[in-house]
């Protein structure tokens, strides 16, 4: 799941393949936000699910103290509704082989699923307030690396299974139930459940939903794409991974978006090694995305281990996170690419972020371990 840092102003610089963007919400709904112009990068963390939603820095400014996202959920404005309703029209215009589709509509959200009492919970469970993101950068010893590997291998198996469920007429709520059951059967806890009040065990982001989609009663349609984001908490450690899947017959432009997004993730991973700059990750991702004209959505990777979200922040864009990688560090790399605008609208559930112009988005994510010789993907295919 991603982390998010809210931006105080909505009139920031235009998004590009080289700059993180922001989500629009009514200005009156942001009384708790701190202007980013007064902050410095080392502590850019604020909580959220695997995609912490990072909103753009104003100009060249950078953050100086950890930001915390308040738990209040703003209402969606009339203008936001109109933006979302135009989604199908915008996406279909000038697309050639791109098919027309209906804009994403929310379905009914079922009750939170129970977790057996004997399964250990992460510390944030039971408090609906968004947890602060830890400023520490976790470095693991041999024993904790093995525990991380166990959690990540389980997350990879669960994600692989979830992908087999993606078919027309299947609901995202059904996927959530299956994922939840597989995780608890393994003696683990589904990390998103109860994180800052998140009501489900997995994130399911369909079509123009950029991130943090809440599973509900909507049925998947032929031609949809869906990102499934799985995080498990096993033996005191979190393993975090996601992938975008095709539902039925998907058109060629959409297939290319998904393919390039996965390539961007792998290019970012290839930059990792002991002593390398964190900036190298975003540079490689940005260079590849820009070749195809895709925008990079406002979501970032994050440190992960005993703590769900901690530093370092892993940007998918140029020139943000300072510092260098150290052998034994674990973090996620999770670029989100868009066919159109990288601006998004946050639904009034406080989580679901959708592209303001209805553009399709795709995302891939792995948890990686920095080694002396390079990098190891902990959530690789089982």
């Amino acid at each position: 799941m991603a982390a998010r840092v809210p931006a105080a102003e909505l009139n920031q610089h235009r998004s590009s393949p080289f700059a993180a963007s922001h989500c629009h919400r009514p200005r009156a709904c942001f009384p708790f936000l701190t202007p980013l112009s007064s902050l410095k990068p080392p502590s850019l963390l604020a909580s959220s699910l695997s995609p912490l939603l990072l909103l753009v820095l104003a100009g060249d400014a950078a953050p100086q103290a950890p930001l915390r996202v308040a738990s209040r959920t703003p209402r969606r404005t009339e203008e936001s509704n109109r933006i979302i309703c135009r989604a199908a029209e915008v996406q279909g215009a000038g697309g050639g082989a791109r098919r027309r589709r209906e804009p994403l509509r929310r379905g009914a959200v079922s009750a939170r699923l129970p977790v057996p009492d004997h399964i250990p919970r992460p510390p944030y469970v039971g408090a609906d307030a968004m947890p602060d993101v830890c400023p520490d950068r976790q470095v693991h010893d041999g024993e904790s690396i093995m525990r991380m590997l166990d959690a990540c291998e389980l997350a990879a198996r669960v994600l692989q299974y979830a992908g087999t469920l993606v078919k027309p007429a299947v609901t995202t709520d059904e996927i959530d139930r299956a994922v939840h059951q597989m995780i608890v059967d393994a003696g683990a806890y589904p990390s998103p459940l109860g994180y800052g009040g998140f009501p489900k065990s997995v994130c399911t982001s369909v079509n123009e939903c950029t991130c943090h989609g809440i599973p509900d009663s909507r049925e998947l349609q032929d031609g949809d794409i869906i990102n499934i984001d799985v995080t498990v908490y096993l033996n005191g450690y979190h393993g975090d991974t996601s992938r975008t899947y095709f539902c039925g017959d998907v058109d060629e432009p959409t297939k290319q978006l998904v393919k390039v997004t996965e390539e961007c993730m792998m290019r970012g991973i290839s930059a990792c090694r002991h002593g390398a700059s964190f900036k190298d990750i975003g540079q490689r991702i940005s260079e590849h995305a820009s070749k195809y004209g895709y925008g990079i959505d406002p979501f970032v990777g994050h440190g992960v281990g005993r703590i769900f979200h901690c530093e370092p922040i892993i940007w998918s864009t140029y020139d943000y996170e300072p510092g260098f990688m150290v052998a034994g560090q674990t973090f996620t790399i999770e670029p989100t690419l868009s066919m159109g605008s990288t601006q998004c609208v946050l639904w009034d559930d406080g989580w679901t972020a959708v592209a303001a112009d209805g553009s399709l988005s795709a995302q891939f994510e792995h948890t990686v371990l920095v080694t002396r010789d390079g990098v190891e993907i902990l959530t690789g295919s089982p």
Side-chain angles (χ1 to χ4, degrees), residues 70-343:
S71 59
R72 73 184 279 177
T73 55
R75 294 180 179 177
R76 189 149 45 112
T77 63
E78 201 66 36
E79 178 60 23
S80 298
N81 283 321
R82 286 198 294 271
I83 290 172
I84 292 172
C85 288
R86 289 200 302 268
E89 220 172 74
V90 174
Q91 188 66 27
R98 235 179 288 170
R99 66 177 66 182
R100 294 181 66 83
R101 59 180 175 80
E102 291 298 317
L104 187 65
R105 303 289 186 185
R106 75 186 72 194
V109 178
S110 62
R112 185 180 298 191
L113 296 172
V115 177
D117 291 340
H118 70 274
I119 294 178
R121 273 73 166 157
Y124 52 78
V125 173
D128 284 344
M130 188 71 70
D132 291 325
V133 176
C134 180
D136 298 332
R137 299 187 176 191
Q138 301 175 72
V139 178
H140 302 281
D141 59 18
E143 181 181 351
S144 60
I145 287 173
M146 292 307 298
R147 293 193 176 204
M148 274 296 298
L149 186 57
D150 288 342
C152 289
E153 286 181 343
L154 175 59
R157 289 200 308 272
V158 172
L159 180 62
Q160 184 180 59
Y161 170 61
T164 67
L165 305 177
V166 175
K167 297 179 178 66
V170 172
T171 69
T172 51
D173 187 68
E174 290 175 286
I175 294 173
D176 178 75
R177 286 180 178 276
V179 164
H180 178 92
Q181 194 61 50
M182 185 174 179
I183 292 172
V184 298
D185 284 350
Y189 185 90
S191 301
L193 186 63
Y195 184 89
F198 193 78
K200 290 296 180 179
S201 299
V202 67
C203 295
T204 53
S205 302
V206 179
N207 293 339
E208 69 265 33
C209 180
T210 309
C211 193
H212 297 160
I214 296 175
D216 60 23
S217 63
R218 179 192 180 274
E219 293 184 349
L220 294 174
Q221 308 294 315
D222 184 59
D224 282 350
I225 56 173
I226 175 174
N227 176 268
I228 301 177
D229 191 336
V230 171
T231 313
V232 305
Y233 182 69
L234 179 67
N235 297 326
Y237 289 79
H238 297 274
D240 193 359
T241 185
S242 85
R243 184 178 188 87
T244 298
Y245 293 95
F246 301 135
C247 181
D249 182 22
V250 175
D251 61 50
E252 291 304 319
T254 303
K255 287 180 180 178
Q256 177 177 274
L257 171 69
V258 173
K259 176 177 178 289
V260 172
T261 304
E262 185 172 18
E263 290 171 352
C264 282
M265 176 188 65
M266 296 308 297
R267 285 173 183 252
I269 291 173
S270 71
C272 297
R273 66 185 187 283
H274 178 74
S277 170
F278 285 108
K279 296 179 182 180
D280 294 345
I281 298 172
Q283 180 172 343
R284 293 197 186 186
I285 291 171
S286 295
E287 286 174 349
H288 193 58
S290 67
K291 292 177 185 177
Y292 296 86
Y294 295 135
I296 298 175
D297 287 315
F299 299 93
V300 297
H302 52 88
V304 65
R306 293 178 299 277
I307 300 165
F308 195 173
H309 293 122
C310 67
E311 292 200 16
I313 286 292
I314 306 299
W315 295 85
S316 297
T317 50
Y318 282 118
D319 298 331
Y320 284 103
E321 185 70 4
F324 299 89
M325 302 173 213
V326 176
Q329 282 183 327
T330 51
F331 49 81
T332 69
I333 296 177
E334 45 186 302
T336 306
L337 269 55
S338 171
M339 281 185 171
S341 171
T342 56
Q343 293 182 339

